[in-house]
Amino acid sequence: MSEQDESGERTEQPSEKRLREAREQGNIPRSRELATAAVFGAGVVALLTMSAPLARGSLGWMKIALSPDPQLFKHPDQLFGHVGNLLLQLLWVVLPMMGLCVLAGFIGPVLMGGLRFSGKALMPDLKRLSPLAGIKRLYGAESVAELLKSLLRVAFVGLAAGLSLKLGLNALRELLTMPLEQAVRSGLGFAGGLLLACAGALALLAAIDAPYQKWNWMRKLKMTRQELREELKESEGRPEVKGRIRQMQHQLSQRRMIEDVPTADVIVVNPTHYAVALKYEAGQMGAPRVVAKGVDEIALRIREVAEAHRVAVVSAPPLARALYREGQLGREIPVRLYTAVAQILSYVYQLRAWRDGSLAEHPDPPSVDVDEGKPA
């Protein structure tokens, strides 16, 4: 009973497959507070940094708008086109600020989960039409969280605006005694400070909401232990998946084996069907070790790599077949093959000495006799 209860609880972190499927369906973490703070903050920054060109452009637009051509009154049919031109000119004035706000609108999605466009998210979901589901959304934990965020938003923005008004109250009173241009500059400076304070309050709320939305998204995607077992069984139980895994493992093993061939001391061959690469380091190994082995195409590949790296290749068909059958990759050779392999290594060392000039005569290849029957 306890095991059944435990398997029904969503206590396990979501798997990569579940996360991938959620993203494909358009289910990714989103923070409206982060998006609002980014757009509002970008607008405030644009107003403060582009105030001079915005003011000049707005002043020029107002002059044109408030001093129309008298000919327009004689041709009322041209008024519509004139109004359209005015709107386009106004749009051109505010276009840099609008562009910056549009770009800022992508900051929230990028920081939360990246930009993803899913057609599945546009498909109608009949579950949303269910009255019971609507009641759960209205009175569930999500609604409580949204209500709490709304209260925090009002509190943060109200507190920031209240502090700005309190600190700038004297400056507002002095506007009445200032010349018009100075009053306008001071008033705009106060408004800019107020907007910055509100933007900071929204940024603080976004810093709280974004981690919560990420955590809540992961919490909703959590899985039960039974779901994890079924997913693992489904992914590993498919024949094509198993075959692909075995194929990749085999290819990786062959690649590593071929990479070890240049480190070998000798390649014992059949001469064409079998090839076994042996390595021996006195004082570090108790016996020669098999670093690579193969038949047919793999054997040919081993020989090609060995010849390219000037590794000795010795033909000893019975020994090559015995080493291939009984030797294991990365392990020392069987005890019963010690004597035969020792003869091969002795020949290789003599061959090296002859090539270096320290041995006068070319050594004769050894005659190796090995019982190819499997050991008892």
Side-chain angles (χ1 to χ4, degrees):
M1 182 68 179
S2 60
E3 184 177 351
Q4 293 177 354
D5 294 340
E6 193 174 285
S7 64
E9 296 179 359
R10 298 184 179 274
T11 57
E12 307 301 318
Q13 293 297 324
S15 63
E16 289 297 328
K17 178 183 176 183
R18 191 179 185 93
L19 293 175
R20 183 176 64 254
E21 291 177 349
R23 295 188 181 99
E24 291 175 354
Q25 295 173 1
N27 181 11
I28 51 181
R30 286 288 180 258
S31 173
R32 285 183 290 180
E33 306 302 330
L34 181 59
T36 302
V39 174
F40 186 81
V44 173
V45 172
L47 279 174
L48 295 178
T49 57
M50 305 177 184
S51 57
L54 281 174
R56 288 194 298 268
S58 300
L59 181 61
W61 180 83
M62 290 184 65
K63 288 180 178 179
I64 297 174
L66 296 178
S67 57
D69 187 357
Q71 296 296 326
L72 291 174
F73 298 101
K74 300 179 181 180
H75 303 281
D77 55 320
Q78 297 180 1
L79 286 174
F80 184 79
H82 178 67
V83 172
N85 289 332
L86 287 177
L87 291 177
L88 287 177
Q89 292 175 11
L90 179 61
L91 178 62
W92 184 256
V93 171
V94 299
L95 186 61
M97 185 177 67
M98 292 177 58
L100 187 60
C101 292
V102 170
L103 291 177
F106 292 97
I107 293 178
V110 169
L111 293 179
M112 292 296 295
L115 293 175
R116 291 182 178 272
F117 301 94
S118 174
K120 295 181 179 180
L122 302 177
M123 298 298 293
D125 188 0
L126 297 180
K127 294 181 180 179
R128 294 182 177 272
L129 301 178
S130 171
L132 182 60
I135 293 175
K136 288 182 178 179
R137 287 196 299 270
L138 287 175
Y139 300 100
E142 297 293 329
S143 299
V144 175
E146 291 297 324
L147 176 61
L148 180 60
K149 284 196 300 181
S150 300
L151 295 176
L152 287 176
R153 187 186 308 113
V154 173
F156 285 5
V157 175
L159 181 60
L163 289 175
S164 297
L165 288 172
K166 182 179 180 181
L167 295 175
L169 188 59
N170 294 330
L172 288 176
R173 292 172 180 171
E174 294 175 357
L175 293 179
L176 299 175
T177 62
M178 294 180 182
L180 180 59
E181 293 184 0
Q182 185 179 357
V184 170
R185 286 196 296 269
S186 299
L188 291 176
F190 172 78
L194 179 62
L195 291 174
L196 277 177
C198 294
L202 291 176
L204 179 60
L205 182 60
I208 298 174
D209 181 63
Y212 166 76
Q213 295 295 343
K214 186 77 172 181
W215 169 84
N216 192 39
W217 180 70
M218 293 291 291
R219 180 185 63 84
K220 291 180 179 179
L221 293 178
K222 278 187 174 182
M223 307 172 67
T224 64
R225 293 184 179 179
Q226 183 62 28
E227 287 175 339
L228 278 177
R229 295 192 192 99
E230 291 178 357
E231 182 178 302
L232 184 62
K233 186 186 300 182
E234 179 183 356
S235 61
E236 292 188 351
R238 296 176 181 174
E240 62 273 15
V241 174
K242 285 186 175 181
R244 180 59 179 166
I245 292 175
R246 284 195 297 267
Q247 182 182 3
M248 293 177 64
Q249 290 175 342
H250 182 64
Q251 292 176 352
L252 182 60
S253 175
Q254 287 186 350
R255 188 180 302 115
R256 290 177 178 174
M257 183 180 67
I258 296 299
E259 290 175 354
D260 290 337
V261 170
T263 66
D265 293 311
V266 63
I267 311 296
V268 183
V269 298
N270 188 32
T272 56
H273 296 291
Y274 291 83
V276 180
L278 301 177
K279 180 179 180 179
Y280 178 66
E281 295 180 2
Q284 298 183 9
M285 299 179 182
R289 185 175 299 168
V290 178
V291 296
K293 67 175 184 176
V295 295
D296 297 332
E297 294 182 0
I298 302 300
L300 179 60
R301 178 61 180 157
I302 291 175
R303 292 194 59 170
E304 290 175 350
V305 174
E307 292 172 357
H309 291 81
R310 301 180 62 85
V311 179
V313 178
V314 179
S315 177
L319 178 59
R321 291 190 290 266
L323 285 170
Y324 178 80
R325 285 196 302 266
E326 302 175 30
Q328 298 183 22
L329 282 175
R331 295 190 179 183
E332 296 179 354
I333 63 173
V335 176
R336 78 180 195 92
L337 302 177
Y338 278 7
T339 302
V341 172
Q343 295 178 10
I344 296 294
L345 289 176
S346 176
Y347 166 72
V348 171
Y349 296 150
Q350 293 177 24
L351 188 62
R352 290 178 182 174
W354 174 77
R355 289 174 178 173
D356 294 341
S358 56
L359 186 65
E361 298 182 359
H362 188 285
D364 296 327
S367 178
V368 181
D369 186 16
V370 174
D371 183 7
E372 296 187 54
K374 293 184 178 181

